[in-house]
Amino acid sequence: MLIPFPFAYLFGAVCLDAAATLANRPRWYSTARHMRALGIGSALVAAVPGIIDYFLAVPPNSSASSRATWHGAANLSAVTLMSAVAASRRDDTPPRSWEMAAQVAAAGLMSMAGYLGGTLVYRNQIGVDHRHADAGQWQEQYLPPANDEEVDAGTSADLAVNQMRLLHVGDRRVVVARTEDGVVAFDDRCTHRGGPLSDGTLACGVVQCPWHGSQFDVRSGRVASGPAEQPIGVHHVREEHGRLYLRLASS
Ligand code: FES
């Protein structure tokens, strides 16, 4: 929701500087200067939720994480170029050639970052709240790191058939789920491009990745349908006295 502001202001500043020169309207340079300042300010505000998503919502070791890195780097470079122009521009005089070139380059970088940002939302589903789509992830739990020991993975009664629980065990992401044949545990990372399987759907013992639709048998980890080619990691989980106990396979 915040992105249109820096995009419109900074693009507007480039266009106004160019239009002022072409139409010989020096007062437009002043409007461009104000738009540049508003664009830089609103870009810094829009960066805050972006940084939060980068560290908390983007799955590690995934295509989304490299895409998000390029997205952030392109935006940061564009704002840096625009800030350099803002610091050097003088009122009511045409932009020097390097100032115009820097602004055009910043507009190109912002366009690239915008495309990557759209792909992060529409393809990688970063920032999409899956609860309203009735997707599998319904609960998230943080546990301390486990070596070879069993860890208590919470109550089992509220895990219905085809529901998944995302566990952060130290720095590992593991899904505990119930199928028609009992409870299972498997890695949250799709072997295709790192999609979060806990955001996918589980049915008949098969989980489907939300990013490109790879399917995995959650008991054995084998690929039921591509594009993934490698199986996912599976772990041992048991149910006793209404609780789940998880033992991680070595990574
Ligand atoms: S990341 Fe492509 S199918 Fe899972």
Side-chain angles (χ1 to χ4, degrees), residues 18-251:
T21 306
L22 291 174
N24 195 22
R25 302 287 291 267
R27 292 183 63 183
W28 291 359
Y29 293 130
S30 167
T31 309
R33 180 169 59 83
H34 286 102
M35 291 181 82
R36 210 161 21 242
L38 284 167
I40 293 167
S42 55
L44 295 176
V45 172
V48 173
I51 291 168
I52 292 171
D53 274 353
Y54 185 70
F55 287 107
L56 297 183
V58 176
N61 306 319
S62 65
S63 60
S65 106
S66 54
R67 196 169 274 143
T69 302
W70 282 108
H71 170 74
N75 276 329
L76 185 63
S77 306
V79 172
T80 304
L81 283 173
M82 279 297 193
S83 301
V85 172
S88 110
R89 282 287 283 120
R90 273 166 275 140
D91 264 355
D92 302 336
T93 56
R96 286 171 279 186
S97 46
W98 79 262
E99 291 168 339
M100 206 58 219
Q103 292 193 89
V104 171
L109 284 165
M110 282 190 298
S111 302
M112 184 184 112
Y115 168 76
L116 290 171
T119 315
L120 279 165
V121 174
Y122 288 102
R123 184 176 303 163
N124 296 130
Q125 302 176 21
I126 303 302
V128 175
D129 188 342
H130 299 275
R131 287 171 300 179
H132 301 292
D134 203 20
Q137 181 182 323
W138 63 283
Q139 198 175 356
E140 202 164 355
Q141 198 172 325
Y142 288 80
L143 301 171
N147 298 322
D148 283 342
E149 308 125 32
E150 260 187 351
V151 292
D152 185 333
T155 55
S156 65
D158 44 0
L159 194 62
V161 170
N162 293 333
Q163 282 189 317
M164 296 188 267
R165 179 181 297 168
L166 174 59
L167 302 177
H168 298 262
V169 188
D171 58 0
R172 296 178 72 175
R173 293 160 58 114
V174 176
V175 181
V176 172
R178 187 184 295 283
T179 69
E180 289 83 351
D181 300 324
V183 287
V184 292
F186 53 91
D187 284 340
D188 185 44
R189 185 179 183 281
C190 173
T191 53
H192 178 225
R193 291 194 185 165
L197 296 176
S198 57
D199 275 349
T201 48
L202 175 66
C204 303
V206 171
V207 66
Q208 177 166 313
C209 177
W211 286 3
H212 313 101
S214 290
Q215 296 181 342
F216 303 91
D217 181 316
V218 290
R219 288 208 157 271
S220 64
R222 77 174 174 81
V223 178
S225 176
E229 293 177 348
Q230 299 299 320
I232 53 171
V234 293
H235 307 280
H236 181 263
V237 62
R238 66 185 176 87
E239 195 171 3
E240 189 177 311
H241 304 311
R243 298 200 72 80
L244 297 167
Y245 295 94
L246 171 72
R247 187 189 295 277
L248 294 182
S250 45
S251 48

